[in-house]
Amino acid sequence: MRIVSLLPSTTEIVCALGLESELVGITHECDYPGTVIDRPRLTASRISHETMTSAQIDHAVRSQLDGHGSIYDLDEATLRQLGPDLILTQELCDVCAVSYKTVSQAARAFAGDVKVVSLEPNTIADIFANIRLVGELTEKKNEAEQLTSALTARLERVREKTAALASRPRTLMLEWLEPPFAPGHWVPEQVAIAGGDHAFGKAGERSVTTTAEAIRAYAPEVIVLIPCGYYKEDILRQLPTARLPEGWDQLPACRNNEVWATDATSYFSRPGPRVVDGVEILAKILHPEIFGPPSSVEAVRVA
């Protein structure tokens, strides 16, 4: 089978199922595992995390999508040359990847019996279901069951240790810096399993813009910065110039030095196996007395 993955998360799933040798094309964002970076890259973004601020990125995205455009380009000529049997993509978010409509139109334009499959996870259970679906499509059903069982067992080990906690710190997972975004999809679940209060956000729903007033009213005791698509280094580079919500310095988390940056791209933005790593990292941030503190690779405290 010749597989094209148009999502970093599905690239991770394909490789976790032992199908790396059958992966013939990836996106410009696919960087894990590191052994896939030599594959042809079929997408490009018109937006740069390296050169634009979070406010500029937000404006550019809204301008493109409001005009019914796209922030991604698809290399259709290379896609045809690769002759895939299976293309993995998504319809969930036009900000996350090239649109399903664009991919479907491109696939219809070349000969061959190519299957285009859209994965639409909103919860952790959906992510595991997607892993099993990819397993079925690629004759790796047993491997998919083994992987999801192992991931579920890791989640349960964390859940067992946090189930009886008397105190769950109010936890703000900030999915964008400017403007601030409240979390959605699987992130509130990650917080709940890790032993935090997950009231600021709605599990299984889209992330949405929030306000300084709402953040002050919630009075978070812990803040974890997880701007979609950012690594720790991106966050730390953006923070000095970002206009954070009014009253930020007076929030309990800021007064108590409980603001953290972590690799959102690795552990929170991508609906793949490493969302479980995200839960384990959050557990260390929220309850170091139980799980030990996070390493500097996993998360860094923001002064």
Side-chain angles (χ1 to χ4, degrees):
M1 179 172 285
R2 297 174 62 79
I3 303 170
V4 160
S5 169
L6 295 179
L7 289 169
S9 57
T10 54
T11 295
E12 295 190 23
I13 291 171
V14 166
C15 293
L17 295 178
L19 293 161
E20 186 175 331
S21 63
E22 299 179 38
L23 185 66
V24 298
I26 59 175
T27 78
H28 65 286
E29 293 181 312
C30 293
D31 56 8
Y32 187 90
T35 49
V36 304
I37 61 174
D38 62 340
R39 304 300 197 278
R41 296 179 180 269
L42 299 168
T43 64
S45 176
R46 302 170 189 173
I47 289 172
S48 170
H49 285 151
E50 288 76 22
T51 62
M52 299 171 69
T53 67
S54 58
Q56 290 170 336
I57 291 172
D58 180 75
H59 175 72
V61 168
R62 292 178 190 272
S63 298
Q64 288 281 350
L65 299 185
D66 288 348
H68 306 293
S70 173
I71 62 173
Y72 297 103
D73 296 312
L74 177 66
D75 186 346
E76 297 185 24
T78 301
L79 181 63
R80 284 194 297 271
Q81 291 172 4
L82 292 174
D85 305 301
L86 174 65
I87 300 175
L88 298 172
T89 184
Q90 60 91 49
E91 295 177 82
L92 184 66
C93 174
D94 286 337
V95 181
C96 299
V98 64
S99 75
Y100 177 75
K101 180 180 179 181
T102 298
V103 177
S104 296
Q105 289 175 341
R108 286 198 296 269
F110 57 88
D113 186 20
V114 57
K115 182 186 291 290
V116 180
V117 176
S118 175
L119 304 179
E120 306 299 324
N122 287 291
T123 64
I124 292 176
D126 291 344
I127 295 171
F128 291 177
N130 283 350
I131 293 173
R132 288 190 288 269
L133 174 58
V134 174
E136 292 176 7
L137 293 168
T138 58
E139 298 184 358
K140 290 285 186 177
K141 191 172 182 178
N142 290 339
E143 288 83 351
E145 289 297 337
Q146 291 171 6
L147 177 58
T148 53
S149 294
L151 293 172
T152 300
R154 287 169 58 191
L155 287 180
E156 288 307 311
R157 283 195 289 271
V158 176
R159 200 194 307 267
E160 287 171 4
K161 292 181 179 181
T162 62
L165 285 172
S167 175
R168 289 177 171 262
R170 295 185 300 277
T171 305
L172 170 60
M173 307 292 289
L174 203 61
E175 287 205 10
W176 199 247
L177 299 178
E178 191 180 354
F181 265 69
H185 299 121
W186 46 86
V187 173
E189 292 180 277
Q190 290 178 291
V191 174
I193 296 170
D197 175 84
H198 64 291
F200 203 90
K202 295 184 178 180
E205 299 185 16
R206 289 178 179 269
S207 57
V208 295
T209 53
T210 187
T211 64
E213 292 77 13
I215 292 173
R216 289 198 301 269
Y218 183 59
E221 297 167 284
V222 177
I223 297 173
V224 184
L225 305 175
I226 56 165
C228 184
Y230 277 32
Y231 290 98
K232 294 189 298 293
E233 296 76 14
D234 301 314
I235 298 169
L236 297 175
R237 185 177 63 251
Q238 293 271 357
L239 275 176
T241 57
R243 295 177 59 187
L244 297 171
E246 184 179 355
W248 178 268
D249 290 345
Q250 298 306 309
L251 296 173
C254 296
R255 293 202 308 266
N256 297 321
N257 201 25
E258 287 293 342
V259 181
W260 296 81
T262 187
D263 287 345
T265 291
S266 302
Y267 309 119
F268 301 99
S269 304
R270 294 180 182 176
R274 289 191 294 167
V275 295
V276 176
D277 296 63
V279 170
E280 294 167 342
I281 292 169
L282 269 182
K284 294 178 181 180
I285 291 172
L286 298 174
H287 298 286
E289 74 282 1
I290 299 175
F291 298 96
S295 70
S296 59
V297 173
E298 294 172 323
V300 293
R301 200 185 296 267
V302 178

